[in-house]
Amino acid sequence: MNTRTDHRSVEQPPRPVRQPPPSLVHTGGGTIEGVAQNVRMRTEADEGSGSTVVCDFRVEIQERRSGTPLRLVAVEMRGDRFDGAVHDGDWVRATGEFKRGTLRVRRLRNLTTGAEVSVGRTNVVAIAVILVLFVAYMVFLFGFVGR
């Protein structure tokens, strides 16, 4: 009887270096704090003549005492204008809503520099009201005063 066993190695697929536990998968709203990485700024053309400024990056959340990296969270800021600055390595605190695994924020605090970073939208209603008031003023000016 041959008791020889075959010791061929079965190659295992590589495991991810950092896989977040299911309890850290975010939905809804929340606040995160950590180190910004891979900060990218770009401008996207909108329909019509406008454009949107987009800043996206990842925040590395770390264990408070040891500084051991726990996980990465994707963050995105988008608006008509961008005020402030975020760079790779800055410590940031951001509050927003998670959408498809990305934290969408309108404002964050850059704890490294102490600056508040924000995106804004042009208020279309305010522009429309100003335009209507201007037209009404011109009608008044040319209609009644110009006689």
Side-chain angles (χ1 to χ4, degrees), residues 26-32 71 73-74 96-104:
H26 295 289
T27 59
T31 300
I32 61 168
R71 74 169 304 199
V73 175
E97 293 289 323
F98 282 94
K99 186 174 180 182
R100 296 183 180 172
T102 299
L103 183 66
R104 306 277 172 101

Side-chain angles (χ1 to χ4, degrees), residues 24 33 45 71 103-104 110 130 141:
L24 289 179
E33 187 174 311
R71 74 169 304 199
L103 183 66
R104 306 277 172 101
N110 185 331
I130 291 170
L141 210 87

